[in-house]
Amino acid sequence: MPKYPKKFLSSPAVPYICTDKPNAKKCWVFRYVILKSCIGGGYCPMYEQETGKKIVRIACVQLKHTFPTMFDNVVLPRYGLPLIGSILQNVGYEVKVFDEHVAPVDEKWVMESDILLLSALTGAANRTYEFAARVKAKNPDIITIMGGEHATNFIEESLDWVDFVIRGEGDEAIVDLVKSIESGGPFKGLSRVSYRDNGTSVHNPITASPTDLGETYNIDIIHKYPKEKALGMLIKHKRTKVVAVQASRGCPFSCSFCIVHKLFGPNYRYRDTEDIIDDIREKLAYGKDFLFVDNLFTGNSQKTGRILDRMIEEGFGKVAEFSAFSRIHVAENPEMLKKLRKAGFRTLIMGIESLDNDTLNRVNKQQSLDKINKAIKAFHDAGLFISATYVVGNEEDGPGSVDRIVKFSVDNNFSQIILLSFWGYPGDTETPLFPERLIMTSFDYFGGNYVVHFPKKMKPSTLQREMMRGSKEFWSLKRCLKNALKLNFRTAINILFHHYSYQGIWRQQAKYAAYLESIEQDYYDEKGNLVIERIKNRQLDPIVERASKVSGLTVNSQLQKYAPQSL
């Protein structure tokens, strides 16, 4: 990298100062790229241009997490980016979607594009930032845009690496932004768009949520999406495939730990029934295992009922299997359960979250352990499998809480469990985790597999090892063999697949648990309880410190808000 005078490197065109030592090299490389682009006559994100840029080719990219996840062996592109790519394709742009869960990214195609559109979960943020910087270094004229869960929650960090951020739903915002780039601006006033103008961050307000959900995604837009049958993929490549469809967006419930409302707003919206049916019919050529990616497929019994009636009329249940996210309240509707099974649904993914009623009440889950048990019986009686998600490390959870969850899940014959460590976004006022309780040395550990907070009633390393031990027990070869001997081959194959898929996760969790052990000792008493007076003086991790400054979140504000119930 060329050496520039200090006054040159501190030019107003430079969007930020590099103080994060672990990432200092990446930071300075990016500063150089920005300077080279601005001073060399390329696109300069700090200044709105008087002349536009002709947009022909747009590359959409979604990368895997830095560390292994259970989805690495599942061909299941996230729904949002292919949808956005298809919307752009439908208005005339040349678009390709690259998702590492499907195939490696064709970087040559990306480098020759006019716009790079990125989407990322937070666990993939660092890899996504590095990718954006690498592309920008080779093609300074390319314009970079980022959306999705991470960019929506870490706007300032994302703007350090890309030219624009779209917050939340991008269906309408992306077309408006691309058109404005073509015309040279202005960008002020574009709903959901954030950018930097002369080094100052601009966050345009969100004017409305999309109401027309008629658009769907074109699978052919996804680079190297396989048409191979799922069973063949499983045997040959140890991978499986699931086709994503969507019937609704949002959720009418308000669980305090959930990010759905931040991404999709408070409105719960359904697609037109016939659009959904057409979507399924077209995608049957690509696979027979479908997942409704709705946050809550069964949220409106009348509208869900109409969809199920049409699925039954079409005979989809005879040629495909479906899964969907739901809640235990659907167990109170026996007719709905019958329709679900007849329409081809085999698995309902339930957010049980906790077996502790105090926790369920505190997070506003609107369910109890008694209702959970009754719902489980109703689902099994209807011939439906249950996949359960749990949030562990809650304020009420102590040692042994994960063991109880695993035993409960095995005893109730759940087909799958997902153990997610409790966490909150730094700067989020809806979490009892004040900044000093967050362990966020890197975005790489975001995503649920790793403990990123100091639990109240057990040490972080204790929770991390319980999570690892619990998932190992649930996905053990011993359970696989037991089910095979009982001729439950579907369950046995499912356990074997997950046992293989979790190997990388378990190895990384073991390493991370050792790190947690090295930082936790000073903050707990001899019984393993968190000492608030000690943790209050802990130095904030850089990610947390920055977000806390932006939000104004402090230890005192959170203690006052959540005491005495939580702390």
Side-chain angles (χ1 to χ4, degrees):
M1 184 177 73
K3 294 187 179 295
Y4 289 100
K6 289 183 179 179
K7 65 177 182 178
F8 186 67
L9 289 172
S10 60
S11 161
V14 182
Y16 65 110
I17 298 173
C18 301
T19 57
D20 185 5
K21 291 182 180 179
N23 294 307
K25 183 177 179 181
K26 302 171 190 173
C27 178
W28 285 107
V29 168
F30 180 69
R31 281 162 58 95
Y32 163 64
V33 170
I34 291 294
L35 286 166
K36 181 180 177 183
S37 177
C38 293
I39 296 171
Y43 180 75
C44 181
M46 278 63 69
Y47 301 100
E48 294 191 359
Q49 311 249 16
E50 294 181 0
T51 58
K53 174 181 174 68
K54 177 64 176 176
I55 305 299
V56 176
R57 174 182 284 193
I58 300 176
C60 305
V61 175
Q62 181 116 31
L63 302 180
K64 290 182 178 180
H65 285 213
T66 301
F67 297 131
T69 74
M70 61 170 288
F71 300 106
D72 289 349
N73 296 312
V74 181
V75 176
L76 176 60
R78 294 188 65 82
Y79 191 85
L81 198 59
L83 176 63
I84 295 298
S86 297
I87 290 171
L88 290 168
Q89 185 184 60
N90 291 341
V91 295
Y93 299 105
E94 181 186 359
V95 183
K96 270 193 180 182
V97 175
F98 301 93
D99 190 316
E100 281 191 329
H101 294 91
V102 178
V105 177
D106 182 347
E107 292 198 14
K108 184 177 184 298
W109 202 96
V110 174
M111 296 295 180
E112 296 172 353
S113 300
D114 302 300
I115 289 179
L116 170 60
L117 179 57
L118 299 153
S119 182
L121 296 176
T122 298
N126 285 333
R127 293 192 66 232
T128 304
Y129 291 157
E130 293 167 13
F131 184 82
R134 188 166 71 252
V135 172
K136 196 83 168 180
K138 292 185 178 180
N139 180 5
D141 292 333
I142 198 169
I143 296 168
T144 51
I145 304 170
M146 192 169 179
E149 173 265 333
H150 177 77
T152 298
N153 287 283
F154 293 94
I155 307 169
E156 292 298 332
E157 285 83 354
S158 298
L159 286 175
D160 288 347
W161 298 91
V162 299
D163 301 326
F164 297 96
V165 162
I166 293 180
R167 311 185 309 277
E169 296 169 278
D171 311 42
E172 298 168 353
I174 186 61
V175 176
D176 293 339
L177 176 56
V178 172
K179 294 295 185 185
S180 291
I181 291 170
E182 284 192 303
S183 62
F187 306 116
K188 189 174 182 179
L190 294 178
S191 179
R192 300 178 178 272
V193 174
S194 293
Y195 61 102
R196 287 196 176 135
D197 181 10
N198 197 22
T200 300
S201 295
V202 179
H203 307 295
N204 295 331
I206 296 174
T207 56
S209 297
T211 55
D212 181 7
L213 305 182
E215 294 270 10
T216 185
Y217 73 97
N218 171 19
I219 286 188
D220 290 332
I221 204 175
I222 302 172
H223 179 62
K224 291 189 176 180
Y225 188 90
K227 285 192 175 182
E228 188 176 0
K229 291 182 179 180
L231 182 59
M233 291 182 62
L234 184 61
I235 296 171
K236 292 180 183 178
H237 311 295
K238 295 182 180 178
R239 303 180 78 198
T240 188
K241 179 174 66 171
V242 180
V243 180
V245 290
Q246 186 181 67
S248 65
R249 271 194 220 169
C251 179
F253 293 89
S254 300
C255 304
S256 63
F257 59 85
C258 188
I259 65 170
V260 168
H261 284 191
K262 190 163 187 178
L263 289 174
F264 301 115
N267 301 318
Y268 185 47
R269 295 149 285 156
Y270 265 83
R271 294 178 65 198
D272 179 78
T273 299
E274 291 309 310
D275 286 343
I276 299 166
I277 298 303
D278 291 343
D279 200 3
I280 297 172
R281 190 185 298 115
E282 291 173 5
K283 289 181 170 58
L284 281 170
Y286 296 89
K288 306 301 180 185
D289 293 309
F290 284 74
L291 171 66
F292 277 88
V293 296
D294 311 41
N295 304 109
L296 181 58
F297 177 69
T298 56
N300 183 308
S301 58
Q302 289 185 339
K303 291 184 177 180
T304 303
R306 286 198 292 269
I307 296 169
L308 296 176
D309 287 339
R310 286 291 291 115
M311 291 178 67
I312 293 169
E313 290 173 10
E314 293 285 332
F316 290 151
K318 298 176 182 178
V319 295
E321 288 190 3
F322 299 86
S323 302
F325 294 89
S326 185
R327 287 176 61 102
I328 67 167
H329 76 279
V330 73
E332 300 170 3
N333 188 339
E335 186 62 30
M336 176 76 74
L337 295 181
K338 291 179 183 177
K339 285 186 178 182
L340 283 163
R341 188 67 191 91
K342 192 173 181 180
F345 284 81
R346 293 303 306 274
T347 302
L348 292 182
I349 306 166
M350 314 298 298
I352 291 180
E353 317 307 2
S354 176
L355 303 181
D356 184 273
N357 284 330
D358 289 337
T359 298
L360 293 172
N361 289 331
R362 180 175 56 79
V363 301
N364 195 33
K365 188 63 186 178
Q366 300 183 40
Q367 64 189 34
S368 65
L369 184 56
D370 180 60
K371 289 183 177 180
I372 291 170
N373 283 319
K374 290 178 180 177
I376 291 169
K377 184 179 184 305
F379 294 144
H380 284 324
D381 289 346
L384 293 163
F385 292 106
I386 300 171
S387 173
T389 64
Y390 297 95
V391 176
V392 298
N394 291 290
E395 300 294 84
E396 298 79 9
D397 294 343
S401 55
V402 178
D403 297 335
R404 182 187 173 203
I405 284 172
V406 174
K407 184 179 186 304
F408 179 85
S409 303
V410 172
D411 290 347
N412 283 289
N413 197 30
F414 288 176
S415 66
Q416 181 180 23
I417 64 170
I418 301 175
L419 303 173
L420 302 170
S421 177
F422 175 60
W423 62 301
Y425 288 102
D428 183 1
T429 59
E430 297 305 314
T431 174
L433 300 176
F434 54 80
E436 285 78 2
R437 288 185 65 188
L438 298 174
I439 305 169
M440 298 186 176
T441 56
S442 170
F443 289 129
D444 294 343
Y445 294 100
F446 279 58
N449 286 328
Y450 305 98
V451 179
V452 290
H453 77 296
F454 289 91
K456 186 182 177 184
K457 295 185 177 181
M458 60 177 147
K459 295 177 181 179
S461 65
T462 301
L463 175 58
Q464 188 67 73
R465 291 189 174 109
E466 282 202 8
M467 291 175 64
M468 182 170 56
R469 184 174 68 246
S471 60
K472 280 187 175 182
E473 181 179 342
F474 191 84
W475 301 117
S476 68
L477 294 178
K478 182 179 179 180
R479 285 192 67 235
C480 174
L481 180 60
K482 280 184 176 181
N483 279 276
L485 292 174
K486 293 178 182 179
L487 304 184
N488 296 330
F489 296 119
R490 180 190 179 106
T491 301
I493 292 172
N494 183 48
I495 293 173
L496 183 62
F497 174 77
H498 281 85
H499 179 84
Y500 167 80
S501 299
Y502 265 86
Q503 294 299 315
I505 299 174
W506 293 331
R507 285 193 294 269
Q508 190 60 38
Q509 284 180 327
K511 295 177 183 178
Y512 187 62
Y515 163 74
L516 292 174
E517 197 168 29
S518 72
I519 67 169
E520 69 192 9
Q521 301 301 333
D522 295 338
Y523 306 117
Y524 287 82
D525 63 21
E526 63 279 0
K527 295 181 180 180
N529 294 315
L530 182 66
V531 180
I532 300 301
E533 290 305 315
R534 295 180 192 171
I535 198 72
K536 282 171 60 176
N537 298 317
R538 177 176 174 265
Q539 183 176 353
L540 297 181
D541 293 324
I543 294 172
V544 180
E545 184 175 18
R546 185 176 188 183
S548 299
K549 286 180 179 179
V550 171
S551 67
L553 191 68
T554 66
V555 57
N556 292 328
S557 67
Q558 291 305 87
L559 282 173
Q560 184 177 3
K561 181 174 181 178
Y562 288 94
Q565 310 96 294
S566 300
L567 297 169

